[in-house]
Amino acid sequence: MDLAQRLVEERTELATKWLDLLLQTYPEQTQKLWRRNKDPFTNPVGQTFRQALSELLDLVLDWSDAEAVSEALDKIVRIRAVQDFSPSQALSFVYLLKRLVRERYWRELEKAGALNQLWNFETRLDNLALMAFDVYTKCREQVYEMRVSEVKHAQHKLLLRAKMIVDIPAGKAEEAG
Amino acid sequence: MADFKTKPDELYKSIDHTPPKAGWMDVPAQFRPGNWCYPAKPEVLDYIGFPNGRKWSPADEDWKLPENWKDIIHQGFRERLEKFRSLKIFMDVCVRCGACADKCHYFIGSGDPKNMPVLRAELLRSVYRKDFTTAGKILGKLNGARVLEEDVLKEWFLYFYQCTECRRCSLFCPYGIDTAEITMMARELLNLVGCNINWIQEPVANCQRTGNHLGIQPHAFKDIVDFMVDDIEEVTGKRIHVPMNEKGHEILFITPSGDVFADPGIYTFMGYLMLFDAIGLDYTMSTYASEGGNFGLFTDNVVAKKLNAKMYAEAKRLGVKWILGGECGHMWRVINQYMDTFNGPPDFLQMPKSPITGTVFKNAASTKMVHITEFTADLIKHRKLKLDPSRNDHFTVTFHDSCNPARGMGLLEEPRYVIKNVCNNFYEMPAQTIREQTFCCAGGAGLGTDEFMDMRMRGGLPRGNALRYVRDKYGVNRMACICAIDRATLVPLADYWANGVDISGIHELVGNALILDGEKEREVDLRQEPLPGKEG
Amino acid sequence: MNAFYSLIFVFALVLIALFGVGAAHLSYFFGVILPLAAVIVFIVGIVLKVLGWGKSAVPFRIPTTGGQQQSLDWIKQNKWDNPSTASQTFIRMVFEVLFFRSLFRNTSVSLRNEDGVPVVAYSSAKWLWLFALMFHYSFLIIVLRHLRLFMDPVPFFVPVLDFMDGILQIGAPRLYMSDLLIVVGLSFLLLRRLVVPIFRYISNAADYFPLLLILGIALSGIYMRYFGKVDVIAIKELTMGLVTLSPKVPAGIDASFYVHIALVSTLLIYFPFSKLMHMGGVFLSPTRNMPNNTRIVHHENPWNPDVKPHSYEAYEDDFREHMIEAGLPVEKQA
């Protein structure tokens, strides 16, 4: 059997199952609501996950555009980075795909003596996890940056008055003669 | 040779995060960095006369509650049931239909069931049933009643400081149950045992003493306004006079002090000053009543009244005819629904009438206080302003309805009318996220503090998501709003969820478009960024 | 579990009534004493509850506004969602009470593309609105139809209602639509709580019990009419006896009637102490029954605390020197 081909053929089902696993990391009461409400504006989490996971799966199967992978990861990680998760929990969704694929194809591949195909694909997912880690760190850094800059913004004119900062005047700076 | 064969699922058992299935009463509150605000400093509580100030942290096991805290809460609850019919009705009539469940921005973003308005209210209701109803006393848990224990109080603190009193749930409730009202009551109860947050109590103390939430003294306040006069001169070539604490003018102008200190509120403030200059308005500002916002609303009705009272007191001292109010959200909830009851009716003031157009603001007949967008919309309608909207052509603008003007007032068309007349590119966000259905900035009601950033981003997702949609679809790069808290909290929200969109007040846009008599040809906008066609 | 307890309790009520009338011959108790007591508890309970609400003050006028306020003359006010007069508020309440306006807000029907296929999506709340309305109106019609058992002569609208309700002319005795609809409505409301995790999570026993109880009442009533075909003449004799306070228990009334009336009595007794009081509460809800006009008309807080602001004089005393230095006008020179 050819794993790559099977993954492409069964991508829709995989995407749905992956979304299910991802939503299962939230309270039971919430999952149903997020799964059911199809309005992207009143249900941004559920709808973003649905769309981004499907996009991400395609990109992983294609595995040619690192930037696009990173962008799709960003949509999901950005949300999980500010929810009530530890970093490992926030990123676990990548490994949920690994679990899904392994559970689904392991026996078949083992019988066919083609487990190396699975190892190859899993290497890809390991890379994906590392990329997700980058995105996660970026998001967290942004949160801390925002905390600092908010304090600065809030007191902008005060700092000015205390002569702790100067505003750059409009126009080009005069060059020293 | 060792056998490395593993079962396919063995590896992943460790990453199963499916949450426990316990009933909500059995899930204790989880305090994690980013989901709670720092408690109020004891010296601040002493200054404003609040009881049981102490050094403590919500993350600690021991909250150092006063010995008889249960009695204190019980008595406070009883007293409030008599004083507020809203509380009594809202405790009794909820049928848990769930219409509100998915309406809260914090729930939408976090998925935490206790952020559903119905459960947030049940936190209080469960104790009400046990203490004040026959059925609850007899049937106990079967009837959804429970005893007030320390864990319950901790839950109250966590979740009633995870509500921004935005009233979105109230709009959808068939009985009009208003979580804002319930949260206010719960916070008053928590105050009694000294559990409150610093970002509310310290501004309250500052407003009381200096008249503004940062504690700026009057001379410094004037200096800062002078800075902005300088900036306006730099942009327009025109020097503007700003009357301060002067008697004998027609109108007193009051705006949230955030507009004076905080970026980007300052640009909105410049817009007000330019507008007043353009129409030659006979007005004064006051350093004593220099805070339009009212942090008292977020903590206690008596404090809210005390802070609000400064407005009329100053209007009386200065002898003005009526009061004009700047762009601010909860400030206008107070003015529209509380001020006249708190401290009115102000018989020493006159029916507000625009000195420029002669329009009488009949909807402020008793309170005598007019919203600046009402005032400006009227000016524009009567063509009293010379405007060049093309000076805002580098912006594609959308408008965020602030919760309080939307659901505590109904100020929907006025700001839109102003924007459409000063900007050429305006697009609405999707219908289910604006007007009376607007989503909160997730930093209102005293929660706009930096240690709460994680929760703010979570709760800000619905707004951010709608914003990103119009950014991608129409190229929106500017979100206007009429609230000083918004102008602070939406900045990180937009950075995080819809990078590339800036936030501004409406009167910043007015200031950009407004043509002042005798101004020089403008090269830059109020932020000193080049105007379209003047780059490079 | 909450649902299970409630179900057990309703079953117990049915059995008690069956046993009480069948084996213990307590038909006088179940036919006369219990219903009269229930009516007294119901009326007194409701009056006390409403008086209790009324006793609490309404310090502030705090309507939730759902549309454009009254503003400049050329801006159109949304009078029914953001009323500024008493009559506009009355209309808002009419919409709220008769048509469940706020629940209806949940209805967003939207058309969108999903993987290239246009999909119409309804939110579940649409169904909540529909079935809630179905249940409440069926219940109302059924209650009004029952007036024929309590009034003589029967008021003119009852036969009209009766005719309209059975207009489909199915079966004998004719099928009332309201009987069908109330069962459908109740079943939906019940299933929703049982099936959807989020509603199961927020539901107490106090949420299942009234649904099951009313379902029991409806089913026992349906049994009496369509299957048991009970002696209506005898029942009217009993009910008129209750109304005229000259109670008698005619022979030959089927036990199912006593089950029905026992459940109804339970409902009446339970009503004032439960969330069913939402029926009265909606009229008193301050976010709905008040106009948004506090800027126009003064509202008095009966316990308005006597609080003064930090005075200007104290403020100036605090900062006078700095103010003079900065050129700000002062009341008193230093």
Side-chain angles (χ1 to χ4, degrees):
Chain A
M1 91 174 241
D2 181 356
L3 179 62
Q5 197 190 330
R6 282 284 291 282
L7 288 171
V8 172
E9 278 166 12
E10 292 165 20
R11 70 157 296 284
T12 316
E13 206 186 329
L14 283 168
T16 316
K17 289 241 164 87
W18 193 12
L19 177 67
D20 278 348
L21 290 173
L22 173 60
L23 288 178
Q24 276 165 26
T25 62
Y26 293 91
E28 191 198 359
Q29 304 78 31
T30 313
Q31 292 169 28
K32 182 105 181 194
L33 220 56
W34 282 355
R35 201 169 286 143
R36 194 179 51 186
N37 182 351
K38 297 279 159 56
D39 185 317
F41 301 108
T42 58
N43 180 19
V45 178
Q47 284 306 98
T48 305
F49 283 173
R50 177 189 307 274
Q51 185 232 333
L53 275 188
S54 159
E55 204 178 301
L56 189 57
L57 186 61
D58 285 343
L59 289 164
V60 170
L61 295 179
D62 186 40
W63 207 243
S64 62
D65 188 345
E67 205 169 308
V69 169
S70 187
E71 270 171 33
L73 273 173
D74 184 280
K75 289 180 193 165
I76 302 161
V77 173
R78 187 164 288 275
I79 291 173
R80 290 175 69 86
V82 291
Q83 287 174 331
D84 244 343
F85 291 118
S86 67
S88 66
Q89 289 173 327
L91 296 180
S92 62
F93 73 96
V94 175
Y95 294 99
L96 293 175
L97 177 62
K98 202 170 175 179
R99 167 162 102 188
L100 180 64
V101 171
R102 197 179 269 205
E103 279 174 355
R104 211 173 152 93
Y105 302 110
W106 171 289
R107 302 231 176 273
E108 256 182 88
L109 289 166
E110 195 179 31
K111 257 186 225 154
L115 271 175
N116 63 324
Q117 290 185 27
L118 187 60
W119 307 149
N120 286 338
F121 184 68
E122 288 192 350
T123 309
R124 207 180 268 192
L125 294 184
D126 291 336
N127 276 318
L128 187 69
L130 289 174
M131 292 170 84
F133 181 63
D134 284 347
V135 177
Y136 179 85
T137 312
K138 194 182 73 190
C139 289
R140 291 309 307 174
E141 276 170 2
Q142 196 185 350
V143 167
Y144 288 106
E145 267 168 34
M146 291 188 311
R147 286 185 61 175
V148 175
S149 72
E150 180 165 274
V151 176
K152 282 192 205 153
H153 274 300
Q155 323 212 343
H156 181 77
K157 284 287 161 185
L158 285 181
L159 295 172
L160 202 66
R161 180 178 183 276
K163 305 207 167 35
M164 289 165 72
I165 54 169
V166 288
D167 260 351
I168 304 296
K172 197 169 184 296
E174 281 170 49
E175 301 292 336
Chain B
M1 199 177 130
D3 183 5
F4 280 112
K5 263 194 175 170
T6 44
K7 285 189 181 147
D9 60 341
E10 209 163 90
L11 220 92
Y12 302 105
K13 278 184 181 151
S14 58
I15 56 162
D16 183 10
H17 305 309
T18 312
K21 293 193 172 174
W24 65 265
M25 283 191 194
D26 303 320
V27 182
Q30 300 278 333
F31 289 88
R32 295 200 181 92
N35 78 359
W36 50 276
C37 303
Y38 299 149
K41 295 173 192 151
E43 61 271 23
V44 168
L45 292 186
D46 287 347
Y47 179 76
I48 56 175
F50 274 30
N52 294 313
R54 65 195 183 279
K55 273 206 157 8
W56 67 287
S57 166
D60 293 344
E61 184 62 32
D62 178 12
W63 279 23
K64 302 178 194 162
L65 294 169
E67 196 85 343
N68 56 338
W69 69 271
K70 286 185 188 176
D71 288 340
I72 297 176
I73 297 266
H74 184 82
Q75 285 311 320
F77 211 146
R78 178 181 299 281
E79 189 189 317
R80 278 162 188 78
L81 284 168
E82 280 158 26
K83 283 170 124 180
F84 296 89
R85 187 182 296 169
S86 52
L87 179 64
K88 218 181 214 178
I89 300 238
F90 297 163
M91 289 296 103
D92 278 330
V93 302
C94 177
V95 300
R96 286 164 297 283
C97 71
C100 62
D102 57 349
K103 302 301 183 283
C104 173
H105 51 283
Y106 283 125
F107 175 70
I108 293 174
S110 73
D112 179 349
K114 282 184 194 162
N115 272 320
M116 294 188 292
V118 48
L119 272 196
R120 202 188 303 280
E122 285 293 296
L123 300 180
L124 204 59
R125 236 178 244 133
S126 53
V127 173
Y128 165 79
R129 289 195 195 103
K130 187 78 200 171
D131 284 9
F132 300 101
T133 72
T134 329
K137 276 180 193 145
I138 300 167
L139 294 171
K141 213 173 162 181
L142 258 187
N143 200 46
R146 63 173 171 172
V147 179
L148 178 62
E149 297 292 355
E150 203 159 323
D151 276 347
V152 175
L153 191 84
K154 289 181 175 178
E155 237 178 5
W156 284 7
F157 182 83
L158 185 65
Y159 288 103
F160 289 114
Y161 284 101
Q162 282 188 6
C163 166
T164 50
E165 305 179 354
C166 82
R167 309 183 101 198
R168 191 167 191 269
C169 49
S170 164
L171 183 73
F172 295 93
C173 175
Y175 317 112
I177 296 173
D178 182 6
T179 308
E181 198 69 8
I182 292 171
T183 294
M184 287 177 188
M185 293 297 115
R187 288 185 182 184
E188 287 194 10
L189 293 177
L190 287 165
N191 282 340
L192 299 176
V193 293
C195 296
N196 27 37
I197 67 173
N198 202 55
W199 180 237
I200 295 176
Q201 306 307 344
E202 194 165 305
V204 162
N206 285 335
C207 290
Q208 192 163 315
R209 175 152 185 246
T210 61
N212 59 69
H213 76 269
L214 283 177
I216 314 296
Q217 300 178 31
H219 53 296
F221 191 94
K222 181 169 185 303
D223 272 6
I224 293 167
V225 172
D226 286 343
F227 278 135
M228 277 187 274
V229 172
D230 292 344
D231 285 351
I232 293 172
E233 187 175 7
E234 203 161 318
V235 173
T236 67
K238 205 178 166 195
R239 185 110 195 136
I240 284 174
H241 172 64
V242 183
M244 199 77 80
N245 292 3
E246 291 177 9
K247 291 186 177 179
H249 292 287
E250 185 177 356
I251 292 164
L252 171 63
F253 176 65
I254 301 176
T255 196
S257 62
D259 285 352
V260 183
F261 314 126
D263 181 5
I266 45 176
Y267 307 111
T268 304
F269 189 79
M270 292 181 207
Y272 304 142
L273 299 186
M274 290 162 71
L275 174 76
F276 300 155
D277 180 78
I279 58 175
L281 194 69
D282 180 22
Y283 79 105
T284 183
M285 291 196 60
S286 160
T287 58
Y288 165 72
S290 57
E291 179 63 273
N294 189 328
F295 279 76
L297 184 74
F298 306 149
T299 181
D300 180 273
N301 72 84
V302 180
V303 177
K305 171 176 167 146
K306 190 175 167 71
L307 295 182
N308 175 261
K310 282 188 171 186
M311 292 189 185
Y312 283 151
E314 187 68 342
K316 194 169 187 177
R317 186 183 76 88
L318 296 175
V320 298
K321 289 182 182 161
W322 55 278
I323 310 174
L324 183 62
E327 299 178 16
C328 181
H330 73 280
M331 159 182 170
W332 272 94
R333 169 105 207 266
V334 173
I335 294 167
N336 188 54
Q337 300 197 326
Y338 293 91
M339 184 178 189
D340 204 80
T341 305
F342 278 157
N343 296 305
D347 300 324
F348 49 88
L349 295 175
Q350 294 174 19
M351 181 73 131
K353 179 175 166 185
S354 170
I356 317 301
T357 65
T359 300
V360 175
F361 295 95
K362 286 174 291 205
N363 63 345
S366 183
T367 303
K368 315 285 197 294
M369 191 150 174
V370 175
H371 194 284
I372 184 113
T373 61
E374 294 172 334
F375 182 73
T376 306
D378 174 64
L379 289 171
I380 294 173
K381 183 77 179 176
H382 287 87
R383 301 177 190 283
K384 298 293 183 191
L385 300 181
K386 278 182 272 177
L387 297 167
D388 176 4
S390 75
R391 286 196 210 153
N392 282 319
D393 275 356
H394 49 323
F395 304 132
T396 302
V397 182
T398 190
F399 178 63
H400 162 77
D401 287 276
S402 309
C403 311
N404 284 298
R407 288 183 285 263
M409 187 173 179
L411 187 86
L412 307 175
E413 291 303 334
E414 299 87 341
R416 285 179 169 76
Y417 182 79
V418 175
I419 293 175
K420 285 176 191 164
N421 276 283
V422 298
C423 299
N424 287 322
N425 314 308
F426 173 73
Y427 296 96
E428 292 276 18
M429 287 180 279
Q432 59 274 53
T433 70
I434 55 167
R435 293 180 185 265
E436 70 276 6
Q437 298 198 31
T438 189
F439 277 113
C440 186
C441 67
L447 306 183
T449 172
D450 69 283
E451 70 266 20
F452 201 59
M453 192 62 84
D454 283 43
M455 200 63 202
R456 281 168 54 191
M457 289 305 111
R458 251 174 253 175
L461 174 57
R463 170 45 75 229
N465 186 60
L467 180 60
R468 188 171 51 210
Y469 173 78
V470 286
R471 180 199 69 183
D472 294 344
K473 188 162 181 191
Y474 306 112
V476 164
N477 58 5
R478 183 58 71 97
M479 178 155 67
C481 58
I482 42 169
C483 173
I485 288 179
D486 279 339
R487 284 190 280 277
T489 58
L490 289 175
V491 172
L493 183 149
D495 279 350
Y496 195 78
W497 294 117
N499 204 349
V501 181
D502 283 331
I503 308 302
S504 72
I506 288 184
H507 279 76
E508 177 185 344
L509 301 171
V510 172
N512 279 338
L514 195 63
I515 301 169
L516 301 177
D517 288 332
E519 70 171 27
K520 67 173 186 187
E521 175 156 357
R522 290 196 209 172
E523 304 282 333
V524 291
D525 64 15
L526 288 180
R527 297 191 185 188
Q528 311 223 352
E529 277 153 20
L531 287 175
K534 309 269 176 166
E535 300 92 345
Chain C
M1 216 53 205
N2 281 332
F4 185 67
Y5 290 138
S6 303
L7 186 65
I8 296 283
F9 193 61
V10 174
F11 268 127
L13 287 170
V14 172
L15 289 178
I16 289 169
L18 280 177
F19 177 79
V21 175
H25 305 291
L26 292 171
S27 50
Y28 192 78
F29 173 78
F30 283 99
V32 176
I33 296 175
L34 182 63
L36 284 179
V39 168
I40 291 167
V41 173
F42 178 72
I43 293 172
V44 172
I46 286 189
V47 168
L48 286 182
K49 190 85 203 175
V50 172
L51 285 180
W53 286 336
K55 220 172 61 193
S56 293
V58 184
F60 305 112
R61 203 182 278 150
I62 50 163
T64 307
T65 57
Q68 174 62 40
Q69 65 162 352
Q70 178 192 340
S71 178
L72 299 160
D73 292 338
W74 46 274
I75 292 177
K76 190 170 179 291
Q77 181 191 357
N78 185 339
K79 290 180 180 161
W80 296 345
D81 285 327
N82 190 349
S84 55
T85 66
S87 52
Q88 290 164 5
T89 309
F90 178 78
I91 293 181
R92 182 184 203 186
M93 288 303 290
V94 167
F95 274 100
E96 199 62 80
V97 173
L98 297 186
F99 306 111
F100 302 178
R101 165 82 181 113
S102 292
L103 268 190
F104 188 74
R105 274 183 193 282
N106 284 325
T107 358
S108 59
V109 189
S110 57
L111 190 70
R112 89 183 86 259
N113 264 322
E114 214 165 26
D115 302 331
V117 186
V119 179
V120 184
Y122 300 90
S123 69
S124 73
K126 159 117 181 161
W127 301 110
L128 175 61
W129 173 79
L130 187 70
F131 285 95
L133 208 62
M134 184 188 287
F135 159 65
H136 282 89
Y137 271 99
S138 307
F139 202 169
L140 177 68
I141 290 169
I142 291 170
V143 169
L144 291 177
R145 275 205 279 103
H146 277 68
L147 283 180
R148 76 186 160 119
L149 295 174
F150 297 95
M151 294 173 108
D152 208 7
V154 174
F156 73 97
F157 62 87
V158 175
V160 179
L161 208 61
D162 215 272
F163 173 75
M164 296 301 289
D165 202 0
I167 203 160
L168 291 181
Q169 309 273 3
I170 301 170
R174 273 182 304 115
L175 175 74
Y176 286 131
M177 283 183 289
S178 55
D179 286 354
L180 197 66
L181 292 178
I182 196 171
V183 174
V184 172
L186 282 166
S187 306
F188 171 84
L189 295 176
L190 192 60
L191 281 175
R192 184 172 166 274
R193 283 193 194 275
L194 286 169
V195 173
V196 184
I198 203 144
F199 300 126
R200 198 164 59 225
Y201 198 61
I202 61 177
S203 298
N204 295 329
D207 297 312
Y208 295 108
F209 178 63
L211 285 173
L212 289 165
L213 184 63
I214 297 170
L215 196 60
I217 292 170
L219 291 176
S220 59
I222 287 171
Y223 171 82
M224 284 157 65
R225 176 174 167 85
Y226 302 102
F227 304 100
K229 307 205 170 155
V230 294
D231 183 351
V232 182
I233 310 290
I235 288 175
K236 180 148 188 179
E237 207 175 317
L238 185 148
T239 52
M240 285 309 296
L242 291 177
V243 176
T244 54
L245 295 178
S246 47
K248 51 182 164 260
V249 181
I253 298 183
D254 189 70
S256 60
F257 168 76
Y258 292 101
V259 169
H260 189 65
I261 206 161
L263 294 179
V264 171
S265 302
T266 310
L267 181 67
L268 291 176
I269 292 168
Y270 179 72
F271 198 99
F273 305 99
S274 70
K275 68 167 196 173
L276 299 176
M277 280 306 292
H278 67 264
M279 185 185 94
V282 64
F283 292 97
L284 289 176
S285 178
T287 60
R288 291 291 184 275
N289 74 357
M290 304 178 101
N292 176 35
N293 66 353
T294 324
R295 269 205 292 165
I296 307 171
V297 185
H298 177 73
H299 176 85
E300 189 62 32
N301 174 358
W303 49 264
N304 201 6
D306 183 24
V307 185
K308 295 279 174 283
H310 178 71
S311 72
Y312 176 81
E313 289 70 29
Y315 171 83
E316 194 182 294
D317 288 347
D318 216 353
F319 301 111
R320 184 169 296 110
E321 274 169 45
H322 291 307
M323 292 172 77
I324 293 171
E325 210 172 302
L328 289 167
V330 286
E331 299 272 341
K332 267 194 286 184
Q333 292 302 321

